[in-house]
Amino acid sequence: MSELTLSPAASTGSATTAAPNVGLPLWLLAEVTYRCPLQCPYCSNPVDFARQGNELSTQDWIRVMTEARAMGAAQIGFSGGEPLVRQDLAELIGEARKLGYYTNLITSGIGLTEQKIADFQRAGLDHIQISFQSSDEQVNNMLAGSSKAFAQKLAMARAVKAHGYPMVLNFVTHRYNIDDIDRIIELCIALEADFVELATCQFYGWAKLNRAQLLPTREQLERAERITNEYRAKLEASGNPCKLIFVTPDYYEERPKACMGGWGAIFLTVTPDGTALPCHGARQLPIQFPNVRDHDLRHIWYDSFGFNRFRGDAWMPEPCRSCDEKEKDFGGCRCQAFMLTGDAANADPVCGKSPEHRIIVQARSEAAQPVPTTQPLIFRNDRNSRTLGNP
């Protein structure tokens, strides 16, 4: 799955009053499938996606959307895998629109057609985001695992624009493409993009497995950000409305991000088999998260152990507990803390105050070395998923 670009949401309507200190699930991410025709080595889907249960039915998803909307959810993102493989996608979009959601389709563009764009538009789809792997056709197709991917993405990006949608593009950047940031931006300008997310790879899921090959050096990041800022100035001076959003990886920060706006604060993810999560990466944690097949969303959001596990600050150990920034960053990312330290309750190692910050410093040091030629990329596909499971 590609990185998410958040769009302006519709009005929440008449939301039910939340319990004390618990926000509303304003943003629903519907991961409708883990199936995908591509094999991106930085996919944020769980490494063991091939072992997950059966997908929710159309009626299951309509019930989930209805319950979330009644609780105040305003915006829904249809994601995956590749959501276009679901034959009921237009129906789900239509139902979401009837319920009053601002609707987003987050897609690779593979499987998209002019007819589908028209069908989605009639159903009420508000926003389409298309992801690219690179501005270079050969690199794009190598990372995607398809010789036709780049041409298809270009054609569908133009088709989306022709249908009157804002052009929203996502490029996940890493060592294979970050030195071509100027060419990436030039491509976006040529496609008349309105919004471009230049999101440096975040190291979860498959990207964590491939970190040695993907993590850029600090110098590469600084150069890419400088060039992006130069283009921002040029675009503004020429009156071009294209907005460039540059996202750095956590590994080069000294303070962690306020992950998802706080655990169980705004975001609600439902996976293809119905597991409900406070973020799309949380499935890897040693927590038994509830399933929408067994519980309604109100119970899941307010009462379940999984969604309450890291709310507030009572769970925090030192140095987070006494940190004067804990209400800004909430201790950082729980998934990252678990991946790097083995304990989801630890301070995010990105933080310079963390006792485990040396892990991040070591990763930066390793990124400064040549890419190891004896360690090939591990591509996201069913075979590798079944072989590797969750690391």
Side-chain angles (χ1 to χ4, degrees), residues 117-147:
I117 296 172
D119 291 344
F120 297 157
Q121 197 162 38
R122 281 192 295 271
L125 183 65
D126 293 300
H127 170 280
I128 300 175
Q129 173 188 306
I130 294 181
S131 64
F132 279 76
Q133 281 71 28
S134 176
S135 59
D136 179 272
E137 182 170 10
Q138 183 176 0
V139 174
N140 187 102
N141 293 345
M142 180 276 290
L143 292 170
S146 168
S147 61

Side-chain angles (χ1 to χ4, degrees), residues 321-335:
R321 183 180 290 271
S322 58
C323 180
D324 59 4
E325 297 187 32
K326 67 182 179 183
E327 294 182 1
K328 296 179 182 178
D329 59 35
F330 314 112
C333 177
R334 299 300 90 222
C335 299

Side-chain angles (χ1 to χ4, degrees), residues 166-186:
M167 173 70 73
V168 182
L169 301 179
N170 170 265
F171 282 80
V172 178
T173 59
H174 40 73
R175 286 179 79 146
Y176 283 86
N177 64 11
I178 198 166
D179 290 334
D180 294 328
I181 197 76
D182 52 345
R183 296 177 187 174
I184 289 174
I185 296 172
E186 288 288 350

